[in-house]
Amino acid sequence: MTRIGIFGGSFNPIHNGHIALAKAVLEQCGLDEIWLMVSPQNPLKRYDSDLLDDSLRFEMAQKALEGVKGVKACDYEFRLPKPSYTWNTLQHLAEDYPDRQFVLLIGGDNWAHFQRWRHWKDILWHHDVIVYPRDTYPGTIDVPLLPVSSTEIRQRVKSGKSIHGLVPEGIIPLVEQYYR
C-alpha cells in the first residue's frame, strides 16, 4: 500500500526548512510521497492578520516544490469545512484514496499539546504519526532543522532585508511581492 506523509501547515510562506524537513522524512521513514497540505485555517492558532490568501500560498508552495521528487503541494483542505481539523481531513482522504495509507507529520511542539486536537485518540488509532523536533521540543526522528521561520521571512520582506537562502530562489520574487 502506498504510504503518504501529510505535512500540514499554513506555509505562510513555504521556506527551505519546510522543504529540507519533508525531504529528510521522505528518505528516513519509508514513505512513498509527502503532501504539503496548505491549510486554510488552523483551529488552534489565533487569527493571523499576516495570513496570505490560500491560493497565493498554494501557488508559492507548488512553485517551490518544482523538481523536488516525492514532495508535492496539496490544496485538498481548501474544499473541506473550516476550520481545518486534522481528523476531518484524514477521514476524507481515506474515503477518497482507499488504496493509500496516510501518515501524519507533526512538530514536537504540536505533539506536546496533541491531546487538545479534535479526535486525537482516533488519529492515533487509525494513523501512524511521525514527530519531528521543533525548537526545544524533541521528535521521534532525527532530522536536520534549518533555523528559519515564516514569521522571520515576512518580517525581513517588510523591512527590505534579503531572504536569499531562506526560500527557494524561484519564489523570491513572489514572496517579496506578496508580503511587502
Side-chain angles (χ1 to χ4, degrees):
M1 182 174 280
T2 303
R3 288 172 43 92
I4 309 292
I6 300 298
F7 180 12
S10 57
F11 302 106
N12 189 37
I14 189 171
H15 55 66
N16 289 338
H18 294 132
I19 297 167
L21 174 63
K23 288 165 60 174
V25 171
L26 186 65
E27 291 172 10
Q28 288 185 30
C29 297
L31 300 175
D32 297 292
E33 285 185 324
I34 291 186
W35 294 358
L36 268 70
M37 187 75 62
V38 180
S39 179
Q41 182 181 355
N42 181 330
L44 293 179
K45 281 192 176 178
R46 63 176 177 75
Y47 175 74
D48 185 354
S49 61
D50 286 339
L51 187 63
L52 194 64
D53 179 76
D54 297 346
S55 62
L56 298 178
R57 289 182 290 120
F58 178 64
E59 171 195 4
M60 285 187 293
Q62 279 187 303
K63 187 163 182 60
L65 294 171
E66 287 176 358
V68 179
K69 189 172 172 29
V71 183
K72 71 174 197 171
C74 185
D75 63 355
Y76 187 85
E77 284 189 336
F78 293 3
R79 297 177 290 280
L80 299 178
K82 294 177 187 172
S84 301
Y85 291 106
T86 300
W87 174 243
N88 186 39
T89 300
L90 291 170
Q91 280 189 302
H92 280 88
L93 285 168
E95 290 171 12
D96 290 346
Y97 302 95
D99 60 332
R100 299 180 187 181
Q101 179 185 14
F102 293 96
V103 177
L104 181 62
L105 279 61
I106 64 171
D109 54 339
N110 281 316
W111 181 249
H113 304 287
F114 196 67
Q115 298 81 2
R116 291 178 50 205
W117 289 33
R118 182 172 281 194
H119 295 284
W120 67 275
K121 289 180 182 176
D122 294 320
I123 293 170
L124 293 177
W125 182 259
H126 295 282
H127 301 276
D128 291 339
V129 177
I130 296 171
V131 182
Y132 57 88
R134 180 121 193 252
D135 300 324
T136 60
Y137 295 93
T140 58
I141 58 169
D142 185 25
V143 293
L145 297 179
L146 298 179
V148 59
S149 74
S150 296
T151 302
E152 174 192 1
I153 292 166
R154 293 192 306 270
Q155 290 170 345
R156 291 181 71 83
V157 168
K158 285 181 181 171
S159 62
K161 295 180 181 173
S162 172
I163 56 171
H164 287 274
L166 302 177
V167 301
E169 292 294 316
I171 67 165
I172 288 175
L174 293 175
V175 173
E176 290 176 342
Q177 174 188 346
Y178 295 154
Y179 292 99
R180 185 164 289 129

